[in-house]
Amino acid sequence: MTTTEAAPISSLSLSGPGSGVNPRLARVRARAAARESIRAMRPAARAKRRRRTPEELRAVVERGQAQLNASSESPEADAQAVIAWAVREFGPYMAVASSMQDTVLSHLVAEQFPFVDVLFGDTGYHFAETLGTRGAVEIELDVNVVDVRPELTVAEQDDRYGPKLHDRDPEACCAMRKVAPMKKALENYEAWATGVRREETAARANAQLVSWDERNGVVKINPIAAWTEEQVSEYANRHGLVINPLLFDGYPSVGCEPCTARPLPGEDARSGRWAGLDKDECGLHV
């Protein structure tokens, strides 16, 4: 193991029978202790690896595409192979982005890189269920959740731009509360892994496994780009992963509460993300 890795929680010493400590509580405490240990070690692990220039990272993208994309000799790499490549290439300079809709990608990456940084865009407008999922993720998974917040609180934004900017100018609201904060957070990394999948929308249909993210100046990795919704659900069920309860309440895609509605029958999953508007992306993935 590298200095940025940790033993799986199942291998950590837990209080045995008769100790008076609830086994689940012991696991939670062991995970929290392991997380803090990794947090303490990560700066040293980063110091051992020189931060690469954009030109060098573009070359990494080209190598990755050659190794992972489908060719006449081999099929497209599966999610585990993409993640293994990313861990080798970026190590502590890689993060995972999560909207806390589901925890599949975070779990996949943590299986190979325990206590990876998971960037959660805390916009100030989330459903209570989404915030609850975020809390559960920190308890249940071997990850380090990093809350990525806008410069302005909701109240400060209301004072400056007027209430309910999301209704009057959703593009501006997304830019301030999602896109700009994530761009700033990604300055600390060389690469980010996202849960973008090709079947979600026409705009995502050609999502690559590895690409250069010009907007953020980092490498973008989409390990589950080829997965279907059924594959996501099957993986989550098989591993008993935390799922946002809203997915079971008619919300197949979950965003900020003021902008998200249940899709009408026959509409695609993301049609409810900015209900009534010709918009299905916040700007992070375009």
Side-chain angles (χ1 to χ4, degrees):
M1 289 187 178
T2 68
T3 56
T4 59
E5 296 174 325
I9 293 302
S10 59
S11 68
L12 296 173
S13 297
L14 304 179
S15 300
S19 66
V21 177
N22 179 283
R24 186 171 184 276
L25 177 59
R27 287 195 294 273
V28 170
R29 288 175 173 171
R31 177 173 285 116
R35 182 182 297 113
E36 290 307 312
S37 176
I38 294 300
R39 282 175 176 168
M41 290 189 294
R42 192 147 286 168
R46 284 187 166 201
K48 293 179 180 179
R49 300 179 63 150
R50 179 181 63 84
R51 187 75 178 273
R52 286 170 288 191
T53 66
E55 290 72 24
E56 290 172 318
L57 292 174
R58 288 189 182 94
V60 172
V61 169
E62 291 181 6
R63 293 202 307 272
Q65 291 175 341
Q67 293 176 40
L68 303 171
N69 288 356
S71 68
S72 58
E73 300 178 354
S74 61
E76 183 176 76
D78 63 20
Q80 286 80 4
V82 174
I83 293 166
W85 172 84
V87 171
R88 290 194 303 271
E89 283 288 349
F90 307 108
Y93 282 109
M94 178 176 71
V96 173
S98 176
S99 65
M100 299 301 167
Q101 175 168 302
D102 63 61
T103 59
V104 168
L105 181 62
S106 297
H107 184 269
L108 276 164
V109 176
E111 287 281 279
Q112 299 192 52
F113 189 56
F115 300 103
V116 62
D117 288 349
V118 173
L119 308 181
F120 169 54
D122 188 357
T123 65
Y125 282 121
H126 283 302
F127 287 92
E129 291 87 343
T130 300
L131 297 177
T133 301
R134 178 251 180 260
V137 164
E138 196 159 43
I139 292 174
E140 300 292 342
L141 295 186
D142 295 348
V143 300
N144 178 45
V145 179
V146 179
D147 295 316
V148 178
R149 296 190 173 99
E151 179 181 346
L152 302 177
T153 66
V154 170
E156 290 169 340
Q157 179 174 296
D158 287 350
D159 286 343
R160 186 173 300 184
Y161 298 99
K164 298 184 178 181
L165 180 64
H166 46 76
D167 288 347
R168 294 178 287 107
D169 192 343
E171 293 293 345
C173 190
C174 285
M176 283 191 287
R177 307 209 70 76
K178 291 184 176 182
V179 179
M182 191 61 70
K183 178 179 175 61
K184 183 173 179 60
L186 289 172
E187 292 175 359
N188 297 314
Y189 304 93
E190 290 185 339
W192 65 323
T194 85
V196 165
R197 295 184 295 109
R198 293 168 186 153
E199 75 163 18
E200 292 177 306
T201 64
R204 299 183 176 191
N206 296 315
Q208 300 183 65
L209 295 178
V210 182
S211 61
W212 174 247
D213 182 346
E214 189 68 45
R215 179 200 294 271
N216 294 305
V218 293
V219 177
K220 186 175 182 181
I221 307 158
N222 300 316
I224 61 172
W227 283 29
T228 63
E229 184 64 33
E230 290 71 24
Q231 286 176 290
V232 173
S233 297
E234 190 279 329
Y235 184 93
N237 292 332
R238 175 157 40 96
H239 292 277
L241 299 184
V242 175
I243 298 292
N244 192 317
L246 292 172
L247 295 185
F248 305 106
D249 190 30
Y251 293 87
S253 184
V254 182
C256 291
E257 184 171 11
C259 302
T260 306
R262 296 177 181 86
L264 295 174
E267 293 185 335
D268 69 73
R270 288 184 64 85
S271 65
R273 285 295 294 272
W274 289 272
L277 300 175
D278 184 21
K279 176 178 170 64
D280 59 11
E281 294 284 356
C282 65
L284 287 174
H285 302 297
V286 294

